[in-house]
């Protein structure tokens, strides 16, 4: 939607803002999802202690990398996806602009000009406001 904005600087600034904002939003959402996943696993372990083993309890507390790095990885993936989409749209817009400017220059006829006449040349001597005769 931002590609229809005509002002180049404003459009590019908005696109960068959206890319960073949506990447931060994706990071936040993935952190919430990962936290919820581990909360559900912990609740299940609390309600089913007879099915839990010591290794199972250890697995509930050891996976700090998923909690810490998971949101960053998902946020970086979102940043790459939005950045690549913006780059593709930039290439399409640039190629469309070059194609339309080339088509305009090909189809626009050259303007033929007549040589400038000297002042007074072609005027009727009795009327100075009469246009030159062609």
């Amino acid at each position: 939607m931002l590609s229809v904005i005509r002002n180049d600087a404003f459009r590019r600034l908005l696109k960068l803002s959206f890319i960073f904002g949506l990447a931060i939003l994706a990071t936040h959402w993935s952190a919430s999802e990962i936290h919820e996943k581990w909360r559900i696993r912990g609740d299940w372990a609390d309600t089913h202690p007879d099915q839990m083993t010591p290794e199972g309890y250890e697995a509930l507390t050891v996976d700090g990398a998923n909690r810490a790095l998971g949101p960053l990885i998902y946020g970086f993936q979102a940043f790459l996806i939005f950045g690549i989409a913006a780059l593709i749209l930039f290439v399409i817009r640039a190629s469309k602009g070059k194609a339309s400017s080339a088509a305009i220059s090909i189809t626009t006829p050259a303007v033929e000009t007549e040589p400038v006449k000297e002042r007074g040349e072609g005027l009727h001597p009795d009327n100075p406001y009469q246009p030159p005769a062609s």
Side-chain angles (χ1 to χ4, degrees):
M1 290 181 2
L2 296 175
S3 294
V4 299
I5 297 173
R6 297 223 182 256
N7 187 336
D8 289 342
F10 185 61
R11 181 183 62 246
R12 290 177 184 151
L13 181 66
L14 278 177
K15 283 186 177 184
L16 285 175
S17 299
F18 269 78
I19 289 170
F20 284 114
L22 291 174
I24 290 170
L25 194 61
T27 304
H28 175 71
W29 282 342
S30 66
S32 297
E33 289 295 319
I34 291 170
H35 176 73
E36 181 66 13
K37 174 180 74 172
W38 286 100
R39 187 195 63 77
I40 291 170
R41 288 180 180 180
D43 288 348
W44 186 89
D46 291 341
T47 57
H48 299 86
D50 54 326
Q51 297 178 7
M52 292 299 294
T53 63
E55 293 84 19
Y57 281 115
E58 185 180 338
L60 288 175
T61 59
V62 186
D63 196 18
N66 186 16
R67 292 179 179 180
L69 295 178
L72 295 176
I73 292 170
Y74 288 124
F76 185 69
Q77 282 178 336
F79 176 79
L80 284 179
I81 289 169
F82 293 130
I84 290 170
L87 183 64
I88 290 170
L89 290 173
F90 171 76
V91 169
I92 290 171
R93 185 179 180 93
S95 65
K96 181 180 174 187
K98 287 181 182 177
S100 65
S101 65
I104 290 171
S105 65
I106 290 172
T107 58
T108 305
V111 178
E112 295 181 19
T113 59
E114 295 181 16
V116 179
K117 297 180 181 180
E118 293 289 328
R119 183 180 172 130
E121 182 182 326
L123 292 177
H124 193 275
D126 296 275
N127 186 358
Y129 297 106
Q130 181 179 359
S134 18

